[in-house]
Amino acid sequence: MHEFTLAELSHLLQKREISSVELVETCLERAEQFNDGLNCFISLFPEPALERARHADELIGGGKAGPLTGIPVVHKDIFCTGGFKTSCASKMLDNFIAPYDATVVDKLNMAGSVMLGKTNMDEFAMGSSSETSFYGPVRNPWDASRVPGGSSGGSACAVSARLAPAATGTDTGGSIRQPAALCGVTGLKPTYGRVSRYGMIAFASSLDQGGPITQTAEDAALMLAAMSGFDENDATSAEAGVDNYTATLNKEIKGLKIGLPAEYFSEQLERPVTDAITAALNLLEEAGASIIEIELPNTELSIPVYYVIASAECSSNLSRYDGVRFGYRCDNPKDIDDLFCRSRGEGFGDEVKRRIMIGTYVLSAGYYDAYYLKAQQIRRMLRDEFSNALKQVDVIITPTTPSTAFPLGARVDDPVSMYLSDIYTVSVNLAGLPAISIPVGFNDGLPIGMQVIGDYFGEARILNVAHQYQQITDWHKRVPRDYQ
Ligand code: GLN
């Protein structure tokens, strides 16, 4: 039963061919069996999950079910889950029990889904490999010696190994799309403001956005519909209405104009990735789409701009972890300064400290204009470039990552090479646009992802393109050998 997609499971549940209790039991057994090897879960909640599954079965029996009723989901451990540990994969929050549910969690609960547990990630979502977690690295189900990508690596890993049909993730600079690409699953980062950030632990508030990780675009559409919508608890949440994302999945893509930015196909891109994207584009052309070359000339500035802005925002957001109100507190502080310094010094890992230091530096009085202000100005230019390009085309297609999954340990000691893993994803966050990553091939047994970027609130369009591609290919159906 574990191999089915969310949409297939939903159908089986409605027809009462399976029960939610059976399904949740299967997922929990698999999670327990495989978590030692993969380390994709920080917590599992078997008892509460089974209780919710029993309730879901009653709703289904009473004819009161929606498409997600009884469906097991796992949440990235960055989403607050009331009454349950919410660690953000940091020693700082290892003892933190969230007092309330994030809006995303609440909405998915209301839709009837069953939370199985919380997934492992890079500490405070800072990273591209899920190696900076306080709980140790997550492994890639396609090759356990390689990273699953990050920061939502545990979520992508769990869906890829078929431990859960759907997961939530967050994406500040690529953290949904990049691990989805490296694990061979589908990951959607919605338009900034589409999904509420309330209760989602903040990294960089002007960039963070929650979204689904699933096997297929159809499943992502079902999850997104449940997760989206205006939330008065989040001042940046958009009032725009939520589309019926499943209704337009089957629209033909004849006449679709696809923009191809030459800047995204430079030497850094591994040959097999280029070949897989080219093959995918050929299929889309055969289905009636046309390819138009576009220019995004300042793309190379997106990494430095992102690391200035994201670090600046994180240095401010993470100032709340002071050892006083919640989270880790050092033993026997001498005075208040000692309490702050040692609690933060002992509670945060190296990558988080590096970001806080960069952030406070770029925001300091002497350097603000040279770094932070400049970065904001370039951010606006990048955004305008995308807006202009999206006047000529319907969607933009790029690789999701320059390479397939890299070996564990290969980039942890070289932050710049780690940061370059996000070269194709960060500019989308800087612009606030929606984008999806879907599997389009393999190299040496490792998955390759393709990114489809849409216009603001154009999630329905990119889901449609992704779904049409998945109707004529089967990359998304491949399951890593040990987890079939
Ligand atoms: N890898 C990027 C970073 O380290 C993006 C992380 C994310 O999207 N949360 O900041």
Side-chain angles (χ1 to χ4, degrees):
M1 173 182 336
H2 61 270
E3 68 279 16
F4 291 117
T5 66
L6 187 164
E8 289 164 348
L9 289 169
S10 176
H11 198 63
L12 292 170
L13 285 166
Q14 310 281 332
K15 286 198 304 186
R16 311 207 66 187
E17 286 182 21
I18 58 169
S19 72
S20 177
V21 169
E22 283 172 85
L23 176 58
V24 166
E25 275 170 353
T26 306
C27 290
L28 286 169
E29 273 163 29
R30 286 177 62 79
E32 260 147 38
Q33 179 185 354
F34 293 118
N35 197 42
D36 280 352
L38 293 170
N39 198 27
C40 57
F41 291 109
I42 291 176
S43 329
L44 285 167
F45 311 120
E47 282 315 314
L50 286 166
E51 199 177 304
R52 282 190 58 85
R54 280 189 283 274
H55 180 60
D57 283 331
E58 278 166 27
L59 289 176
I60 297 169
K64 288 195 218 108
L68 295 188
T69 310
I71 297 288
V73 299
V74 294
H75 292 301
K76 184 177 183 179
D77 208 16
I78 197 169
F79 288 100
C80 286
T81 41
F84 297 99
K85 171 167 162 170
T86 301
S87 73
C88 235
S90 180
K91 179 176 179 183
M92 187 58 93
L93 291 177
D94 181 46
N95 64 2
F96 180 60
I97 307 290
Y100 64 93
D101 280 332
T103 299
V104 161
V105 171
D106 185 42
K107 279 178 173 283
L108 286 168
N109 282 342
M110 297 296 281
S113 72
V114 178
M115 170 175 71
L116 302 179
K118 308 285 295 286
T119 60
N120 203 353
M121 52 183 280
D122 281 298
E123 184 181 6
F124 282 103
M126 297 172 193
S128 310
S129 65
S130 299
E131 291 171 291
T132 68
S133 168
F134 174 58
Y135 306 98
V138 183
R139 288 166 188 273
N140 191 312
W142 293 94
D143 176 347
S145 71
R146 291 177 186 263
V147 303
S151 62
S152 314
S155 287
C157 170
V159 174
S160 169
R162 305 300 191 254
L163 309 184
T168 55
T170 61
D171 192 313
T172 304
S175 279
I176 289 177
R177 292 159 288 158
Q178 188 255 14
L182 303 194
C183 289
V185 295
T186 299
L188 172 69
K189 179 203 102 70
T191 308
Y192 182 77
R194 174 70 302 173
V195 168
S196 168
R197 291 185 298 108
Y198 181 68
M200 198 175 101
I201 295 174
F203 162 12
S205 308
S206 77
L207 301 158
D208 298 342
Q209 186 60 198
I213 297 181
T214 50
Q215 289 178 38
T216 65
E218 182 185 20
D219 292 356
L222 290 165
M223 286 285 285
L224 182 67
M227 293 165 73
S228 299
F230 174 68
D231 178 7
E232 60 179 18
N233 290 323
D234 171 4
T236 59
S237 132
E239 296 202 35
V242 178
D243 292 329
N244 181 347
Y245 301 111
T246 34
T248 44
L249 289 175
N250 286 315
K251 225 172 85 185
E252 276 189 40
I253 55 164
K254 213 183 205 145
L256 179 85
K257 286 190 257 168
I258 299 174
L260 209 61
E263 294 81 1
Y264 282 66
F265 293 84
S266 60
E267 303 92 72
Q268 299 149 13
L269 189 58
E270 282 180 4
R271 186 74 219 194
V273 180
T274 317
D275 293 346
I277 307 284
T278 310
L281 288 168
N282 288 342
L283 285 177
L284 293 172
E285 268 186 305
E286 279 167 28
S290 55
I291 313 271
I292 297 164
E293 290 220 1
I294 55 163
E295 282 179 11
L296 295 170
N298 285 304
T299 298
E300 62 172 7
L301 297 177
S302 56
I303 289 273
V305 166
Y306 169 83
Y307 278 95
V308 169
I309 293 175
S311 304
E313 293 184 17
C314 96
S315 71
S316 163
N317 274 325
L318 271 59
S319 65
R320 71 190 64 169
Y321 304 104
D322 53 9
V324 177
R325 288 162 294 184
F326 53 86
Y328 178 78
R329 177 180 295 174
C330 67
D331 287 336
N332 308 318
K334 285 201 305 288
D335 53 30
I336 188 75
D337 285 336
D338 189 41
L339 170 74
F340 289 157
C341 293
R342 279 205 292 120
S343 297
R344 288 170 67 81
E346 293 165 19
F348 288 136
D350 289 350
E351 183 60 26
V352 172
K353 287 180 194 159
R354 180 180 296 124
R355 308 275 182 120
I356 293 173
M357 285 191 282
I358 297 172
T360 45
Y361 181 83
V362 300
L363 288 175
S364 60
Y367 293 102
Y368 181 93
D369 288 355
Y371 293 105
Y372 185 71
L373 189 65
K374 186 70 149 223
Q376 291 290 19
Q377 289 162 339
I378 302 173
R379 179 178 189 175
R380 168 54 63 145
M381 274 167 51
L382 292 166
R383 190 185 161 105
D384 291 346
E385 281 178 9
F386 270 113
S387 294
N388 286 334
L390 286 162
K391 286 193 188 112
Q392 308 158 45
V393 297
D394 301 309
V395 297
I396 296 172
I397 284 188
T398 77
T400 309
T401 56
S403 71
T404 52
F406 43 93
L408 281 154
R411 298 188 190 171
V412 259
D413 297 324
D414 181 358
V416 174
S417 89
M418 185 72 89
Y419 296 172
L420 288 171
S421 322
D422 301 314
I423 180 109
Y424 302 133
T425 48
V426 291
S427 51
V428 173
N429 300 70
L430 290 167
L433 292 165
I436 192 167
S437 176
I438 52 172
V440 292
F442 284 83
N443 180 37
D444 280 341
L446 297 170
I448 295 171
M450 176 172 88
Q451 172 170 244
V452 185
I453 306 168
D455 209 342
Y456 296 102
F457 299 100
E459 284 83 2
R461 196 56 177 273
I462 56 176
L463 284 163
N464 165 228
V465 175
H467 179 71
Q468 290 303 307
Y469 176 80
Q470 291 181 338
Q471 295 306 101
I472 47 176
T473 55
D474 69 355
W475 305 114
H476 59 287
K477 293 192 179 142
R478 312 263 173 116
V479 184
R481 203 190 49 227
D482 296 344
Y483 308 94
Q484 283 170 0

